């Protein structure tokens, strides 16, 4: 018990909660940065957490962004003679998400007057030693420690392999960029060679720009001599 506190001064009920005027929201970008910094050992896809208020978008994303890719990759594992596991993992993952959905999709308002009064009655030394003021929590560090806890205790992975996991994430990033560049190249090729009207406009615009550029370059020496 803190030195400055007596038994008759203790609050009857103490809830260590965030006050109403101090809300914390985990954004997609901050969450993704933490998962990129503390990646899993064998990532299959890049982590991309999404928050939405639309149930339709959630179900659409669940089917087309999770289950169908997992099903396709399981087919590839079967063809390679390996055991398909991704659909089973996705089913377990969404079962866990469904258990937490009631709490993650709602919010409640509680008062923490007792904990504020208790902390205010403590001296500076006790406040430093028994620091339970949640307003002083550095939430980016908290979220990073959360990812470390999931990696070490929930998934039983070692932090010693973190460098290899980050290297695997970098490979996935390069692979995704190459994929989008390939898609862009195919689209440009299709537009360039399959649509004659667009091809004609493209050629005219190119030669017009080249003519304007040549005219400007030819006038530079004259402007310098003046």
């Amino acid at each position: 018990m803190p030195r400055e506190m007596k038994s008759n001064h203790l609050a009857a009920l103490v809830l260590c909660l965030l006050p109403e005027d101090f809300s914390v929201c985990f954004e997609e970008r901050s969450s993704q940065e933490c998962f990129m910094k503390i990646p899993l050992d064998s990532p299959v896809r890049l982590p991309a957490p999404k928050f939405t208020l639309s149930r339709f978008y959630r179900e659409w994303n669940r089917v087309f962004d999770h289950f169908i890719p997992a099903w396709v990759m399981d087919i590839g594992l079967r063809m390679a003679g390996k055991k398909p596991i991704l659909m089973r993992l996705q089913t377990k993952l969404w079962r866990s998400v469904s258990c937490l959905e009631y709490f993650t999709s709602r919010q409640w308002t509680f008062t923490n007057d007792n904990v504020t009064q208790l902390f205010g009655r403590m001296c500076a030394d006790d406040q430093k030693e028994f620091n339970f003021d949640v307003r002083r929590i550095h939430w980016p560090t908290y979220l990073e420690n959360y990812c470390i806890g999931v990696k070490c205790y929930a998934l039983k992975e070692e932090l010693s392999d973190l460098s290899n996991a980050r290297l695997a994430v970098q490979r996935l990033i390069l692979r995704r960029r190459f994929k989008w560049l390939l898609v862009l190249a195919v689209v440009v090729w299709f537009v360039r060679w399959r649509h004659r009207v667009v091809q004609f406009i493209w050629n005219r615009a190119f030669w017009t720009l080249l003519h304007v550029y040549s005219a400007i370059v030819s006038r530079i020496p004259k402007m310098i001599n003046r």
Side-chain angles (χ1 to χ4, degrees):
M1 186 173 63
R3 294 186 293 272
E4 296 293 327
M5 299 297 298
K6 303 298 181 181
S7 60
N8 58 346
H9 289 159
L10 288 177
L13 179 62
V14 176
L15 296 176
C16 194
L17 301 171
L18 287 173
E20 296 183 46
D21 57 347
F22 192 87
S23 60
V24 175
C25 297
F26 295 115
E27 299 178 352
E28 295 180 2
R29 181 178 179 182
S30 59
S31 302
Q32 184 176 10
E33 288 176 354
C34 285
F35 283 111
M36 295 287 284
K37 188 176 181 180
I38 312 294
L40 303 181
D41 286 348
S42 301
V44 179
R45 301 176 61 191
L46 289 174
K50 299 180 179 65
F51 303 98
T52 178
L53 298 176
S54 173
R55 182 171 295 274
F56 173 78
Y57 177 76
R58 173 185 177 275
E59 294 300 325
W60 176 278
N61 188 69
R62 174 186 178 185
V63 173
F64 290 95
D65 196 38
H66 290 84
F67 281 97
I68 290 181
W71 178 70
V72 172
M73 285 186 281
D74 273 350
I75 292 177
L77 290 175
R78 287 182 183 274
M79 295 176 63
K82 298 181 180 179
K83 182 179 179 180
I85 59 172
L86 295 176
M87 277 297 296
R88 180 168 55 86
L89 292 177
Q90 282 293 339
T91 303
K92 289 184 177 180
L93 173 64
W94 280 97
R95 189 181 298 129
S96 301
V97 171
S98 299
C99 293
L100 298 174
E101 183 180 0
Y102 181 83
F103 302 98
T104 57
S105 60
R106 290 169 174 81
Q107 64 180 10
W108 294 267
T109 301
F110 298 94
T111 59
N112 65 336
D113 298 335
N114 290 340
V115 70
T116 303
Q117 294 176 9
L118 177 63
F119 193 78
R121 291 176 182 175
M122 297 167 60
C123 65
D125 293 336
D126 286 340
Q127 289 182 355
K128 185 177 181 180
E129 185 174 358
F130 304 97
N131 186 10
F132 53 85
D133 187 1
V134 293
R135 294 172 297 183
R136 301 183 181 183
I137 295 177
H138 187 251
W139 292 104
T141 303
Y142 174 87
L143 187 58
E144 181 179 337
N145 291 332
Y146 175 84
C147 295
I148 293 176
V150 171
K151 180 179 178 67
C152 294
Y153 302 108
L155 301 177
K156 307 300 182 182
E157 296 182 353
E158 299 292 337
L159 290 179
S160 58
D161 298 330
L162 197 58
S163 58
N164 294 330
R166 290 173 178 169
L167 184 61
V169 169
Q170 293 297 324
R171 293 196 190 100
L172 290 177
I173 293 175
L174 293 176
R175 187 184 304 172
R176 184 177 65 175
R177 292 177 179 175
F178 176 78
K179 179 186 69 176
W180 286 113
L181 286 175
L182 183 61
V183 171
L184 180 62
V186 171
V187 171
V188 171
W189 176 85
F190 181 80
V191 173
R192 175 68 175 80
W193 297 102
R194 297 300 179 181
H195 294 276
R196 294 184 178 181
V197 176
V198 177
Q199 180 180 356
F200 175 76
I201 297 175
W202 174 276
N203 291 333
R204 293 290 295 179
F206 175 77
W207 289 111
T208 301
L209 291 175
L210 183 61
H211 178 73
V212 173
Y213 174 77
S214 301
I216 294 174
V217 171
S218 61
R219 293 181 180 179
I220 290 178
K222 298 180 180 179
M223 295 175 62
I224 294 176
N225 294 330
R226 291 181 181 178

